[in-house]
Amino acid sequence: KQKPQKQHGNKMPEGSDPLHRVMKQNIMFNKSKGQHILKNPAVVKAMVDKAGIKSTDTVLEIGPGTGNLTVQLLAKAKKVVAFEIDPRLVAELQKRVMATPLQPKLEILLGDVLKNELPYFDLCVSNLPYQISSPFIFKLIQHGRFRATLVMVQKEFADRLTARPGDKLYSRLSANVQLHCRVSHVMKVSKSNFRPPPKVESAVVRLEPRVPKPPVQAAEFDGLLRVCFARKNKTLLGEFKQKSVLQLLEKNHRAYLTARGLPAPPADGGASFAELVRRVLTESGFAASRARSMDEDDLLRLLLAFNRANIRFA
């Protein structure tokens, strides 16, 4: 007689492990879609505990995969709305909750979250597919209507989110996110906690929208940052002398004046407009500044100076 196999810790029997079932069915994980399944239950539990989920919360999850995190979220929340791009994993997740008390609490949206409107949610808790980290965070910022977000991302991306002015990794992403949210590092996660393991280490970060909201349109602020951080080590006066930058801003300037019934300046090859930009930078005191060392207050004051001159970035 064969002795029954012992179960160690939180490890499930092979037949009940959804990850094992997926692999047994020869469903290959697609790395190009960021399908690195978080397999360590201790990490999953830590994420759920640190998310601060209330029994009345609707939780948004991106890329639920086989549902290791999803079922823990369902146990805590009123509802989980999960975006999944892979129909094979949608079917597996549906099987996992079928005929259980968790089934009516789960809504699965098949599709690309970047191409769809975000539904209502209180919290976002996700092991985020790494290749969509940046565009998804920007989408979250523009959405803005949530209490907090707790996401697993690539460690370097997490370091960029939390970088401060003067840091090597301080970037357009850092300035943008920190204007709209309080960002904190929660924990590091080794690549050995995933199957298949990614090539990089991971980290969990928490974002909480600032209240009240910053007095600026997200698209307008981001437009300024695109110019300033195109070459963050260059002086702003040098950066704003670029022909492509001047052409874009002059086009926005004329459109803004025309839309409000104000007289647009005559087209003179850009000489007058270039002088206007130089005067804004000089009088605001930022002509010799470099984006790498400017904090959110500096950038907001610069944007206000340009807007007062009817120069817009979006």
Side-chain angles (χ1 to χ4, degrees):
K1 292 183 179 180
Q2 291 183 341
K3 293 182 179 180
Q5 293 182 348
K6 294 181 179 179
Q7 294 184 34
H8 299 281
N10 293 321
K11 189 175 180 181
M12 292 183 287
E14 279 194 348
S16 63
D17 182 357
L19 185 58
H20 175 78
R21 290 202 306 270
V22 168
M23 298 183 71
K24 196 173 181 180
Q25 294 166 20
N26 293 321
I27 296 178
M28 301 298 293
F29 294 115
N30 191 334
K31 293 183 180 181
S32 68
K33 293 180 180 178
Q35 291 178 347
H36 299 280
I37 307 302
L38 181 59
K39 65 179 183 177
N40 187 338
V43 176
V44 174
K45 183 178 185 304
M47 287 185 66
V48 174
D49 289 346
K50 293 177 183 297
I53 302 170
K54 300 177 182 177
S55 60
T56 55
D57 281 340
T58 295
V59 178
L60 175 68
E61 184 184 8
I62 311 302
T66 59
N68 292 343
L69 177 59
T70 314
V71 294
Q72 299 298 324
L73 296 174
L74 287 166
K76 294 271 190 178
K78 177 182 178 181
K79 180 181 180 180
V80 172
V81 181
F83 265 101
E84 177 55 64
I85 202 169
D86 192 333
R88 306 169 305 165
L89 296 181
V90 168
E92 181 59 37
L93 183 53
Q94 288 172 331
K95 288 179 188 176
R96 187 167 186 176
V97 299
M98 189 178 296
T100 72
L102 302 180
Q103 185 176 7
K105 298 169 69 176
L106 176 63
E107 179 182 354
I108 304 175
L109 302 176
L110 177 61
D112 186 344
V113 67
L114 298 181
K115 297 178 181 178
N116 290 275
E117 291 292 322
L118 292 179
Y120 168 84
F121 66 99
D122 300 291
L123 295 172
C124 175
V125 184
S126 301
N127 171 23
L128 204 60
Y130 292 169
Q131 74 274 19
I132 71 165
S133 295
S134 186
F136 179 70
I137 293 298
F138 278 112
K139 190 178 182 79
L140 270 182
I141 287 174
Q142 292 181 346
H143 179 74
R145 299 181 296 277
F146 58 93
R147 188 170 79 248
T149 290
L150 191 90
V151 288
M152 179 99 66
V153 293
Q154 184 177 338
K155 183 180 180 301
E156 183 180 343
F157 184 79
D159 291 340
R160 288 170 56 203
L161 285 175
T162 57
R164 296 299 299 162
D167 293 347
K168 183 178 179 181
L169 292 177
Y170 185 62
S171 62
R172 166 187 162 227
L173 174 72
S174 315
N176 228 324
V177 173
Q178 291 172 30
L179 175 74
H180 295 91
C181 300
R182 291 186 296 272
V183 188
S184 58
H185 180 276
V186 177
M187 61 182 179
K188 295 180 182 178
V189 181
S190 169
K191 55 189 175 184
S192 62
N193 292 292
F194 299 87
R195 184 181 295 175
K199 295 180 179 179
V200 296
E201 300 296 325
S202 304
V204 177
V205 293
R206 182 180 181 89
L207 288 77
E208 297 179 13
R210 295 190 184 277
V211 180
K213 291 184 177 181
V216 62
Q217 292 183 351
E220 178 75 2
F221 187 69
D222 185 50
L224 170 69
L225 297 186
R226 285 178 182 273
V227 177
C228 294
F229 282 92
R231 289 177 291 184
K232 66 180 182 180
N233 296 322
K234 193 177 182 69
T235 65
L236 293 187
L237 184 59
E239 188 60 41
F240 278 84
K241 280 182 178 179
Q242 300 297 313
K243 184 177 179 180
S244 58
V245 172
L246 288 172
Q247 287 176 339
L248 173 64
L249 294 184
E250 184 174 16
K251 180 181 177 181
N252 289 354
H253 178 61
R254 296 176 64 84
Y256 180 81
L257 294 176
T258 301
R260 283 152 184 78
L262 300 173
D268 60 353
S272 297
F273 184 75
E275 175 57 27
L276 174 62
V277 170
R278 187 199 66 76
R279 190 165 65 248
V280 170
L281 288 169
T282 302
E283 292 178 358
S284 63
F286 290 110
S289 298
R290 304 172 197 272
R292 68 185 183 197
S293 58
M294 296 175 68
D295 62 18
E296 305 96 90
D297 290 336
D298 293 332
L299 292 163
L300 281 174
R301 289 201 301 272
L302 177 62
L303 180 61
L304 178 61
F306 274 115
N307 286 175
R308 283 174 173 166
N310 293 324
I311 298 176
R312 301 283 160 163
F313 292 84

